[in-house]
Amino acid sequence: MTEDAGLSRRGAFAMGAAMPLGLGAMPGSARAATQKLDLSTPAARLRVRMKVTASLKPVPQYRFYRLHLYAYMNEGNLVPLFTMNNINVTTATQTGENAYSIVGFESGVYCKFDTDEVLDVWENPITGEKREVWQFIGGPLKVTITADGVDTGEGATVKPKEMRMEQIGDMVFVPSQSAFKFPHPMKREEWPKESSGPTFFWDSHFVYGAKVEDVMNPDLDSAPAFCQFQNLVSWHPWLGLGGKDGRSYGKAYGTKLKSLDDLPPHIVKQFRDKTPEIFDTGNWTEFKDDFKDFMKTRKPT
């Protein structure tokens, strides 16, 4: 589902240490001066982005998100649908002075809303219909990031554009936004409940936050970071909401991990049961496309 995807269908992976500009006392405070990041050039910002969102070295980076999903029916309040636990595995390799090649993998397990109770069958609160859950898995997604921007290549459903990176106090925030659309691969006449219309829309907004001292620490290739995103997306086929006005709204929060062993054992078990591929990305070579795989596996309802 992580960007993520955040990276994959949720996300391309917008990803550096920076040089200090100097020290200055915080107004009205007796605290030690706060170090300042150099965010003045595209090259400096690229290094900060890479260090906060991935790593300066080609070592797999792990992110975990808890994504709460709702239905927005173009009126009224949001309707809770379910929660997805999401894992993203990303490796960044420097290919030039100001260029990195990223390979990412992502998987998700759907649970009862705001719980870790895994869903195999889900009752749609809009239609009352019971639907077989379609677990999310996507990748490998290949992305190129340079000082000039991001090239996501074929297969990505997030096309991130950098937003203003800034330091506030002792934190640095690395945001991006994406507005993307593509022709829906399912025709309404053939997939009446699965197709949301001729065009599939996907809007995503990401932000990473890290401590300035971690970003400036020369002993760290990857800075610990908090991750958060929202998305507004046309109905996924497995929801059975084709023909209904509205979109799904998602809000997610998560963090970078040192390894997947940092996750609670019951979360690890969920992924080993439902999407074990995420634990063996070294042997995951065949590209998995969420929509195409759905169409090959499922029949119209």
Side-chain angles (χ1 to χ4, degrees):
M1 253 221 345
T2 139
E3 186 164 84
D4 33 117
L7 336 181
S8 70
R9 75 182 177 105
R10 276 176 194 76
F13 312 95
M15 315 300 167
M19 297 299 294
L21 293 179
L23 303 176
M26 296 181 66
S29 173
R31 291 176 50 193
T34 299
Q35 293 178 305
K36 297 295 183 182
L37 284 170
D38 175 11
L39 302 176
S40 63
T41 66
R45 292 192 294 272
L46 173 64
R47 286 182 59 80
V48 172
R49 183 175 299 277
M50 293 303 302
K51 194 166 184 178
V52 171
T53 65
S55 174
L56 298 176
K57 295 293 179 65
V59 177
Q61 300 295 302
Y62 305 94
R63 294 195 297 273
F64 174 79
Y65 292 101
R66 184 153 282 138
L67 171 62
H68 300 301
L69 287 143
Y70 305 78
Y72 179 62
M73 310 301 293
N74 292 341
E75 62 179 10
N77 293 115
L78 297 172
V79 179
L81 298 178
F82 37 65
T83 291
M84 175 197 281
N85 289 330
N86 178 276
I87 291 176
N88 183 289
V89 182
T90 300
T91 301
T93 303
Q94 189 168 2
T95 56
E97 182 178 0
N98 293 308
Y100 290 82
S101 176
I102 289 101
V103 179
F105 305 84
E106 190 176 17
S107 71
V109 176
Y110 289 99
C111 299
K112 185 178 178 181
F113 185 80
D114 200 23
T115 76
D116 289 329
E117 181 183 332
V118 177
L119 290 171
D120 291 310
V121 177
W122 169 70
E123 184 172 338
N124 188 320
I126 308 300
T127 65
E129 181 183 19
K130 292 184 177 181
R131 306 282 297 183
E132 182 182 356
V133 170
W134 175 256
Q135 304 296 354
F136 170 66
I137 185 166
L141 182 75
K142 299 180 180 180
V143 179
T144 300
I145 297 180
T146 70
D148 297 322
V150 181
D151 180 5
T152 55
E154 186 177 359
T157 52
V158 174
K159 303 290 184 179
K161 294 183 178 179
E162 297 178 5
M163 299 179 69
R164 181 165 55 109
M165 188 183 303
E166 59 184 331
Q167 177 178 342
I168 300 176
D170 60 358
M171 296 289 293
V172 61
F173 296 94
V174 182
S176 64
Q177 63 180 353
S178 169
F180 186 57
K181 62 182 179 180
F182 55 91
H184 203 302
M186 299 178 182
K187 304 301 182 183
R188 177 67 61 79
E189 56 271 22
E190 299 174 14
W191 301 82
K193 289 185 179 181
E194 287 75 19
S195 176
S196 58
T199 304
F200 198 95
F201 296 93
W202 201 306
D203 290 85
S204 298
H205 298 85
F206 288 79
V207 65
Y208 294 78
K211 292 182 178 180
V212 170
E213 63 180 294
D214 290 331
V215 178
M216 299 183 74
N217 186 343
D219 295 327
L220 292 178
D221 295 317
S222 176
F226 172 83
C227 320
Q228 195 269 349
F229 71 83
Q230 301 90 31
N231 57 32
L232 189 65
V233 184
S234 297
W235 305 126
H236 192 284
W238 83 262
L239 302 182
L241 286 170
K244 299 287 186 182
D245 289 337
R247 297 186 192 181
S248 66
Y249 167 78
K251 66 170 186 177
Y253 45 86
T255 186
K256 290 167 70 176
L257 306 170
K258 293 180 179 179
S259 76
L260 294 181
D261 292 335
D262 289 344
L263 291 171
H266 72 281
I267 298 293
V268 173
K269 184 177 186 305
Q270 291 178 2
F271 284 89
R272 290 201 181 279
D273 289 345
K274 299 298 182 181
T275 59
E277 297 92 333
I278 201 67
F279 296 97
D280 189 23
T281 56
N283 291 313
W284 178 347
T285 56
E286 182 181 357
F287 181 72
K288 295 183 179 296
D289 183 287
D290 196 40
F291 276 65
K292 292 181 180 179
D293 292 345
F294 182 94
M295 295 174 70
K296 291 177 181 177
T297 306
R298 299 285 177 89
K299 294 181 180 180
T301 57

